Amino acid sequence: LAKTTQPISMDSYEGQEVNITCSHNNIATNDYITWYQQFPSQGPRFIIQGYKTKVTNEVASLFIPADRKSSTLSLPRVSLSDTAVYYCLVGALLSGGYNKLIFGAGTRLAVHP
Amino acid sequence: NAGVTQTPKFQVLKTGQSMTLQCAQDMNHNSMYWYRQDPGMGLRLIYYSASEGTTDKGEVPNGYNVSRLNKREFSLRLESAAPSQTSVYFCASSDSYEQYFGPGTRLTVT
């Protein structure tokens, strides 16, 4: 599984756009990129997943360049409730829906008033 | 639709005691997982079950055993608890890219 590197922490203010970049230089052809969000005392929650180019859902956007060696999670107009730890993961989807993921330490995002 | 449920929510054990953490999912997922999370750290995979009837070791399996009782249930057993197993334990299930996590069990071993 490809190792990922992301900033340990970030600070932002309400209403700003936040971009968290993750590097995964050893990503394999079959690997996809996924991001999870974790609030204190809760399990991680899936945010977004992509393979290449740009993916957007109601919560975030994910930008993946052509070489796929990095990805950027974009959170538009953050609010205080977006304060959480964000994990970038690289994994492969195997038969039967099994996907093995390795979590790093994540990025602690603090949103200030 | 409860998603992934875990019992108990909290547990305190003495060194050497045994216990089983229970996990159940009602989403008909094939794959289930057990993770542990130590303070300030990411999650580490203990064991996983890619499908009913199969289990495999993850990153940190020592001191643990698992049972995939049926498609819904995946239990984690500590045979002889050690202080190093003090952690928060999360169960998850998946049928595609997204893993669904339970609320966690906070375990303290004294």
Side-chain angles (χ1 to χ4, degrees), chain A residues 6 32 34-38 43-48 73 85-89 99 101 103 107, chain B residues 35 93-94 96-101:
Chain A
Q6 54 184 120
Y32 61 93
T34 187
W35 286 78
Y36 282 77
Q37 174 192 55
Q38 186 179 26
R45 185 175 69 116
F46 173 88
I47 301 175
I48 198 165
L73 174 74
V85 178
Y86 292 83
Y87 296 98
C88 164
L89 301 109
N99 55 84
L101 301 175
F103 283 80
T107 297
Chain B
Y35 295 88
S93 70
S94 74
S96 67
Y97 298 101
E98 181 176 351
Q99 287 193 14
Y100 294 80
F101 285 81

Side-chain angles (χ1 to χ4, degrees), chain A residues 54-108:
Chain A
K54 178 183 172 183
V55 180
T56 297
N57 62 23
E58 65 278 5
V59 175
S61 294
L62 179 60
F63 299 91
I64 305 168
D67 66 6
R68 305 202 323 125
K69 291 184 185 300
S70 68
S71 59
T72 299
L73 174 74
S74 180
L75 304 172
R77 298 178 299 282
V78 294
S79 64
L80 295 176
S81 63
D82 292 315
T83 294
V85 178
Y86 292 83
Y87 296 98
C88 164
L89 301 109
V90 169
L93 182 64
L94 305 177
S95 61
Y98 162 60
N99 55 84
K100 191 171 179 181
L101 301 175
I102 301 296
F103 283 80
T107 297
R108 291 184 179 276

